[in-house]
Amino acid sequence: MKKLTPRIDKERLLLGIAAPLLAIVAALVVTALVILATGKNPGAAFSDMVTYGSASDSQVYILNKATTYYLAGVSVAIGFRMNLFNIGVDGQYRIAAFFAAVLGGALTVPGWIAIPLIILCAMATGALWAAIAGVLKVTRGVSEVISTIMLNSIATAVIAYLLQPGKLAELQAGGTVISTTPLPKSSYFFQIDTGAAGVLWGFIVIAVLVGVAYWFVLGRTRFGFDLRTVGQSESAAAASGVSVKKMIATSMVISGAVAGLIGMPTLLNDSHQFSNDFPSGIGFTGIAIALLGRNNPVGIALGALLWGFLERTTNHLEFEGYDKEILGVIQGVIVLCVVIAYELVRRYGLKRQQQRVGAELAAQAAATQKQEVA
Amino acid sequence: MTATMTDTPPPAAPKADTEGTRSGRPLGQILMIVAGALLLVAAVRVITGSDQLTSEGQVSAALGLAVPIGLAGLAGLWSERSGVVNIGLEGMMILGTFGAGWIGWQSNPWLGLLCGIGFGVLGGLVHAVATITFGVDHIVSGVAVNLLALGITQYLAKIFFSEGDAADAGGNPKQSPPVDSLPNIDVPGLSDALKSLENHHWFLISDLAGILGGLVTDLSVVTLFAVLLFVGSWWLLWRTPFGLRLRSCGENPVAAESLGVNVYKYKYAAVAVSGGLAGLAGAFLALVTSHTYLENQTGGRGYIGLAAMIFGNWRPGGLAMGAGLFGYSDALQLRNGGETVHALLLVLVVLLALLGGWKLYRKAHWQGGISLFVGALVLLWYLFTDEVPNDFVGATPYVVTLLVLSLSAQRLRMPKADGMRYRKGQGK
Amino acid sequence: MRGITKRFPGVVANRDIDITVRTGTVHALCGENGAGKSTLMKILYGMQQPDEGTITVNGERVTFHNPADAIARGIGMVHQHFMLADNLTVLENVVLGAEKLYGIGAKARTKIKEISDAYGLNIRPDVLLEELGVADRQRVEILKVLYRGAKTLILDEPTAVLVPQEVDALFDNLRELKAEGLTVIFISHKLGEVLSVADEITVIRRGTTVGTVEPAGTTPKQLAELMVGSELPTPETEESTVTDVPLLQVDKLHLTQTDLDGVERIILDAISLTIHKGEVLGIAGVEGNGQSELVEAIMGIRHPDAGAITLDGTDISHAPTRRRREAGVGYIPEDRHRHGLLLEAPLWENRILGHVTERPNSRGQLLDIKAARTDTERIIGAYDVRTPGIDVTAASLSGGNQQKLIVGREMSHAPKLLIAAHPTRGVDVGAQAAIWDHIREARREGLAVLLISADLDELIGLSDTLRVMYRGRLVADADPATITPEELGSAMTGAATGHLEHTEASGPETTEDDAR
Amino acid sequence: GSTSSEQDSSSSASSDSGKDGGIKIGLAYDVGGRGDRSFNDSAARGADKAEKEFSGSIKELTAKSSDTEADREQRLTDLADAGYNPIVAVGFSYATSVDKVAAKYPKVSFGLIDSVATAKNVDSITFTEEQGSYLAGVAAALKTKKDHVGFVGGVDTPLIKKFAAGYVQGVKDTNSKVKVDVQYLTHGSDLSGFASPDKGKEAASGMLDNGADVIYAAAGSSGNGSIEAVSGVKGAWAIGVDSDQYNIPGLAKYKNSILTSMVKNVDVGVYDFVKSVQDGKPLTGNQIYSLAKGGVGLATSGGFIDDIKTQLDEAKTKIVDGTITVKTTT
Ligand SMILES: Nc1ncnc2c1ncn2[C@@H]1O[C@H](COP(=O)(O)OP(=O)(O)OP(=O)(O)O)[C@@H](O)[C@H]1O
Ligand SMILES: Nc1ncnc2c1ncn2[C@@H]1O[C@H](COP(=O)(O)OP(=O)(O)OP(=O)(O)O)[C@@H](O)[C@H]1O
Ligand SMILES: [Mg+2]
Ligand SMILES: [Mg+2]
């Protein structure tokens, strides 16, 4: 995002890579120890993860999962950039996907009208749900951490109330699954059939667009600058002419709108309906991924892919006789290591910079003194 | 967390002496509020005939459900009073459930309790190392602790509980074998007497009897212990040098440092205690309510505890009320669902009317108007329905919390340095 | 203290410092900003550990790992920035860390009252600290040290926020302490005070001791030159450039704040003032009397309850901050770290801050990063900001250089009105002179300046008109050409209000007589 | 690159060569897996029996709570790729994934428990929980002394509502005066109601306080809490679910309060299905394991319902011969 003078560029780049590298190495070591402690061979496990994870169908799986995770990560990151902790992404995307599915099931218009409508509906619902927390924060001073936790549970209740036969849902054949009316075929999002490797969801295109927009708006526009300003220092932002309250509400709404998209790949490319087993908890995954990617659009993408890779390959570990519960350990260790590593690297970088500033100034002072003497 | 622009001390204008109010409200006022609430509920019970509102079973269930939330909140209180935000409570609770289940079934529940606390402390220490030593953002570290705790316990449960002896004794990857019960306490005679009083359904008297009965009947020792912990925490934090030092770390760590307080030490201690209390909250779930470790047993109670703490303005008394509120509404929905909550709507109407009147009296026309309007809507709802849909009943505590916070958040005062990074020797 | 050296990343704060303080004396430390005085004292107080050097107390070599060690040796310190917790009571603030002495209850309360009475500190132990004003806080800080039974008191710039009368009271206290055999180490920039109270003066420059002098036979000028190592700059205004075109008119501004208990406090009370083109209007006042709020009200960060603000003929009373800035208001905030900079962002982003809607920073809704960077380079050159590049973070610059960047940024948008709150606070002498020059130059071109400063010399030297603010009101006017800092000081304490009452009603026709 | 199946076929061929020739049974469990003392375990029993009888081998994979459709598909695909046939998917959450994967592997036989799939090579194994629950209702109505019984459901899913419907009907048909309380612990996608013994306990004690004395809990491990609450009240009965809870080690303390359990013989379904594949005539379509086929029924351990055996048998006959149709929704 920042254009850098080449000299500093290199060092920053090195520092930037150092943190995740450090974290992943640490996580590998811890994981290996844990596997060793259960009397199994970590080497074989890792090699299985690599070979299985690089298979073509695994790649498709990983990309599909990463599409969803990426959107979740970006949604959370928008809040993070503002120092807002939007735990409510989870509720926002679920309620958004629900209403979008209801709308999609009811629409009978051609796909090129229906799909944008469904997506807009999802974004609007997510934004509205997030706006509750935003408004409460700016008008009543309610911490968004608490209000979004509450709103998550309330969203669950609202969905439970409406997702019932006779209300906005119907009972599927077999009598065990309740879902909204399935979308008509015309409202399916395009997808790429890769043959044996499976089907790649077309929504990945939207995810990429969201990433580009995130990068562009934040880094290149006045609005993005204002948003980042508030995130770095509310007091400086207010003094610089940003309306902090308006900004908090706005970014909460935007975060919610992006959260609304999280359920869309699943809805439009996969399940085509909202049922009682619609994936939940992705909002929390998004938090981990945003942390991992350091709120950077490319970083989040890498985090999302890593998460997909881990899920895919640890699933298969069970097949090889390992305990797939190792996944949770790896994920937890990675996130913890990453945040610590970033902090260490950040501190080191700051120190380096201050040293350099000091050295530079000393050099300048020496130079001027010499001139005076001469 | 919002920035007030000026940080200079206010003009030293002479101000009304407010010494009496500095540690929350005076006792008299609190008693008045409690008495008022009691009268209101008793009246609503008589009007609606929902005897469940204050029955012994209801209160006892509320207490049982409130304890883990209250302990989690108390854990948060310790940590935040020392300036460390602890959103990792959920993870520490999970560790507590696991520790309690793991040791509990192999030896005895008392050791299980200890082990639950111990595991919680371990979780707290991880959080402490990340936030205090490495200066990681507190919320970020808390999220990481939650992830890690979940991952590790699932992994260990799979290994420890699904094979060998454990499996024979009833364990599986998601569950430990059952643990023996911890003793319950019952005050003989008293419980029965209260019960018979309650059964008369007299106005106020039966209500009181029900509430008291609920509080003394079939009480787990851990509940008793939790109550003692509340009182003890209050005493330690507000009446001892240790507590003063600990709180000073949450208000202004640099000042504390300048007076020779080892801020790191106190923060570490506070976060470790916090972990231990969260572990105890988890152990309570595992040992008292379920007699077994179960995956996902905590069900977000760590977060709710945090909410209760904020609700209680970072004070043990307020926190206990917050936890009680959660426990009470949870118990309501589990025990009777729609009908009783429906009766509660009437309580809400009265409260909103009172609030609206007060706001109007204070010339806050907008707020007053809105309160009255919402009150009228709820009244209509009450009049035109017989019960609240069951799906919504479950959401009662969340809605109530949101309502209460939005009415009172501005009066809340969190420790000033809460959540801030602190490095030794870097103060200005 | 012998051979003390302390290095921070990029800075050597103390270099081989030697200093000897005799028991029972008042020893003053002088030196310009950033000379390393506070660092030295923090080392003596155990808050920071020296990289080299030794400390000897009463003939005994000691090593302090933390303040507790120093306190045990009878050393106490009142810091430059208050070290108090707002949400604790005075009692709690005082006993913190010293609970072993008298507990935290009734005994401690009695002891506090005792000390308070003995030194006339007039302290109520059970009020919340946040209710106290600056001078009271200062007294609490001193009481904290006395409570611990300190034999050696370190006072780091205790007078910076006090008015002369309060300073006198403080000095009376110090003399009393000295009479009881206590040792006082005292830091101040105000050479007059130093000479009046100290028995011995040590001067520090750029981290090293340059000499110790006796106050007798030393003039302030000599002392100052010792400190700076060269001639002193002065903030003299040359010829007046005041026009009669009013640029900023503030009319009956009223601001109240309701606290949690519903008590309404008046922060700004019917403030009216006019600044003309080319005029510098200085506002004197002890911190916390509403100056900050006045600035924020004019900037649009706070919303007054009543009153009007007119800028160059347009009413901006209800305009948001951004519109005011676009209309030509430049702002040098009093706290540059909180209000003027994004510390973790690179310099070029800091150059955009506050002017994101203006050229060259943006075109339309998009940032023009290239132009902003080029312009940052220009500012760094023109305002002599010492930095290796524009990509380092603002946090890594020294305070003076940060301030120069802010001044450069604000001046780059051709402001009509500059609001300068403590523009040279914490800035070294060279940078100070440069900043004054920039303000003067802009004034010549018709800039109106609202100047707030705690440095009375700066205020008197730069201003064309002076007003005094006390408890949210403008209580006095003065002519900077004739008034002295002492006279100004007495108005600042409110002591002179009685005499001045009619001036406030009758407007700007004040004379120096009133101020006396 | 190559797909994982291509890589797998080489590796798994060697690893499983030990039991070459026997039938290779793949099992994809729901969350909890083998050892859950409930329907996963029951499925495992069926598979174990078949394994022994036909000297085959078993590969087991287990779901995790955060699974999505893709993970379930992966699990089934992995099994199919490694040559397992038949493959049994345990739990209704596999419904969609079985359909998809079965279409991709037409030569493999799939079994699906608790739901109905449409693909041709799938045997949908379902149970008439409502019929078993009807019997539980009959038992409850006969055993209550206060004419008041209760039902605790974990989460208000359609499956649990089937239990409730059958139970209520059974009670009312037996004695219309008996009052039935129905309470779900959580709602919608909040599945914590299946794993909150404390909530189960409070719900049950609420009913007990209100005067109920027989409580049927279909609530996963939350049911343990209900049983505990019931065991604390003299004369009250609990009715267990899924497996014979009288014999579960974890509940041994309370077994004298467990009147009976409504068992669901998943093992029978699984065994039948594996056997059909072994015999070369794989079952397809929907196999409904009804009361008539012994798919559901009441456990008799403890002998507490021996005294009402005649009435129960009578009800059973009526259901089997169609005199009574049990509703699946209330
Ligand atoms: N914790 C720290 N880390 C890095 N540098 C520091 C730190 N504390 C002080 N410095 C630097 O050390 C130098 C000496 O600072 P010090 O505070 O001792 O100055 P001072 O003489 O007290 O100045 P002032 O008159 O402004 O109070 C300054 O350059 C300051 O920026
Ligand atoms: N508390 C602190 N923590 C970390 N670094 C600090 C701290 N205080 C000061 N510094 C660093 O010390 C250096 C100088 O800061 P300071 O503002 O005190 O400068 P100064 O020496 O007073 O500058 P000038 O002489 O230009 O006024 C900067 O690099 C700053 O980042
Ligand atoms: Mg300085
Ligand atoms: Mg200093």
Side-chain angles (χ1 to χ4, degrees), chain A residues 150-369:
Chain A
M150 300 298 124
L151 283 168
N152 281 346
S153 303
I154 298 174
T156 306
V158 171
I159 296 172
Y161 177 70
L162 294 174
L163 188 72
Q164 276 174 13
K167 286 183 182 133
L168 292 178
E170 54 196 39
L171 202 56
Q172 299 282 288
T176 42
V177 175
I178 316 178
S179 74
T180 58
T181 319
L183 307 191
K185 276 246 159 44
S186 65
S187 297
Y188 290 10
F189 208 75
F190 81 92
Q191 52 190 26
I192 303 155
D193 197 339
T194 62
V199 173
L200 184 68
W201 296 349
F203 215 82
I204 195 169
V205 176
I206 305 273
V208 170
L209 289 180
V210 166
V212 172
Y214 172 77
W215 165 80
F216 184 80
V217 170
L218 232 56
R220 296 289 148 139
T221 64
R222 275 163 42 176
F223 172 79
F225 186 85
D226 285 347
L227 190 141
R228 281 184 290 137
T229 308
V230 179
Q232 293 187 48
S233 165
E234 275 188 23
S235 49
S240 83
V242 183
S243 165
V244 173
K245 287 188 169 181
K246 218 187 274 171
M247 211 62 196
I248 288 176
T250 312
S251 59
M252 204 68 195
V253 164
I254 297 178
S255 175
V258 176
L261 289 175
I262 296 172
M264 292 304 99
T266 309
L267 181 70
L268 295 173
N269 272 123
D270 188 30
S271 69
H272 307 300
Q273 65 190 20
F274 187 100
S275 58
N276 45 358
D277 62 355
F278 199 82
S280 64
I282 297 173
F284 293 94
T285 310
I287 295 175
I289 288 171
L291 291 179
L292 217 58
R294 257 201 125 182
N295 305 331
N296 174 298
V298 177
I300 298 173
L302 294 178
L305 289 170
L306 176 65
W307 235 237
F309 171 83
L310 287 177
E311 292 194 349
R312 174 74 178 178
T313 53
T314 48
N315 270 346
H316 190 254
L317 273 188
E318 189 186 21
F319 209 89
E320 303 294 318
Y322 294 91
D323 298 300
K324 68 169 179 313
E325 282 76 9
I326 193 76
L327 171 69
V329 180
I330 304 181
Q331 290 179 336
V333 172
I334 286 185
V335 172
L336 197 65
C337 290
V338 161
V339 295
I340 292 181
Y342 274 135
E343 188 57 35
L344 289 180
V345 169
R346 189 189 74 89
R347 224 183 267 173
Y348 174 77
L350 199 68
K351 206 164 125 186
R352 280 281 302 148
Q353 222 173 50
Q354 286 183 352
Q355 267 166 5
R356 272 220 317 278
V357 173
E360 190 103 352
L361 294 182
Q364 277 180 13
T368 47
Q369 242 165 29

Side-chain angles (χ1 to χ4, degrees), chain D residues 131-196:
Chain D
Q131 295 180 342
S133 299
Y134 183 95
L135 291 187
V138 173
L142 292 172
K143 283 285 183 179
T144 177
K145 293 177 204 106
K146 300 182 180 169
D147 282 355
H148 192 162
V149 300
F151 174 83
V152 175
V155 185
D156 61 347
T157 59
L159 184 63
I160 299 301
K161 283 184 169 170
K162 254 165 124 179
F163 283 86
Y167 181 68
V168 173
Q169 193 181 345
V171 172
K172 293 288 180 195
D173 283 0
T174 311
N175 179 353
S176 58
K177 281 194 313 222
V178 176
K179 186 177 164 202
V180 194
D181 289 341
V182 176
Q183 174 78 48
Y184 298 98
L185 300 180
T186 59
H187 303 269
S189 62
D190 178 5
L191 298 181
S192 66
F194 285 131
S196 309

Side-chain angles (χ1 to χ4, degrees), chain C residues 126-265:
Chain C
D126 286 312
V127 288
L128 265 193
L129 195 97
E130 63 181 354
E131 290 164 20
L132 301 186
V134 193
D136 280 337
R137 284 170 192 236
Q138 180 93 58
R139 285 193 276 275
V140 173
E141 284 280 23
I142 292 176
L143 195 135
K144 259 162 70 176
V145 175
L146 296 176
Y147 183 82
R148 268 146 249 259
K151 292 277 164 274
T152 308
L153 253 81
I154 305 168
L155 303 176
D156 193 350
E157 297 200 23
T159 58
V161 291
L162 302 182
V163 294
Q165 285 73 9
E166 287 169 335
V167 171
D168 288 341
L170 176 71
F171 285 174
D172 288 340
N173 284 335
L174 290 190
R175 290 197 190 92
E176 206 168 318
L177 293 172
K178 185 172 88 173
E180 296 192 2
L182 271 69
T183 310
V184 178
I185 304 177
F186 165 75
I187 299 180
S188 177
H189 291 284
K190 299 181 183 168
L191 307 178
E193 333 176 325
V194 169
L195 289 172
S196 78
V197 74
D199 300 315
E200 228 174 352
I201 303 168
T202 298
V203 179
I204 298 182
R205 188 198 318 152
R206 302 234 174 272
T208 44
T209 30
V210 291
T212 301
V213 296
E214 298 282 330
T218 311
T219 65
K221 193 155 162 45
Q222 287 171 323
L223 198 55
E225 278 164 10
L226 204 54
M227 270 169 60
V228 180
S230 63
E231 287 273 319
L232 274 181
T234 44
E236 284 302 308
T237 318
E238 317 98 27
E239 81 292 356
S240 169
T241 57
V242 184
T243 63
D244 54 5
V245 189
L247 189 89
L248 177 79
Q249 281 167 305
V250 175
D251 190 29
K252 300 233 168 52
L253 214 55
H254 192 80
L255 176 73
T256 57
Q257 194 178 346
T258 315
D259 66 13
L260 292 180
D261 300 317
V263 181
E264 213 178 48
R265 279 192 219 185

Side-chain angles (χ1 to χ4, degrees), chain A residues 354, chain B residues 426-428, chain C residues 11 33-34 336 395-401 426-428:
Chain A
Q354 286 183 352
Chain B
Q426 304 230 320
K428 292 221 177 131
Chain C
V11 195
N33 289 122
R336 56 179 166 263
S396 45
L397 294 192
S398 78
N401 287 309
V427 161
D428 71 37

Side-chain angles (χ1 to χ4, degrees), chain A residues 51-52 55-57 61 65 94 156 160 164 171 174-176 178 196 270 276-277 279 312 315-316 318-319 324 327, chain D residues 1-4 7-8 59 61-62 64 68-71 74 78 82 92 100 114-116 156 158 187-189:
Chain A
T51 45
Y52 187 77
S56 61
D57 52 346
Y61 169 105
K65 279 241 161 166
R94 282 187 284 121
T156 306
Q164 276 174 13
L171 202 56
T176 42
I178 316 178
D270 188 30
N276 45 358
D277 62 355
R312 174 74 178 178
N315 270 346
H316 190 254
E318 189 186 21
F319 209 89
K324 68 169 179 313
L327 171 69
Chain D
S2 59
T3 63
S4 54
Q7 299 170 353
D8 261 7
K59 185 88 200 173
L61 298 178
T62 308
K64 55 185 187 304
T68 60
E69 201 49 41
D71 298 288
Q74 182 194 354
D78 280 351
F92 64 79
K100 278 199 194 148
D114 268 358
S115 190
V116 182
D156 61 347
H187 303 269
S189 62

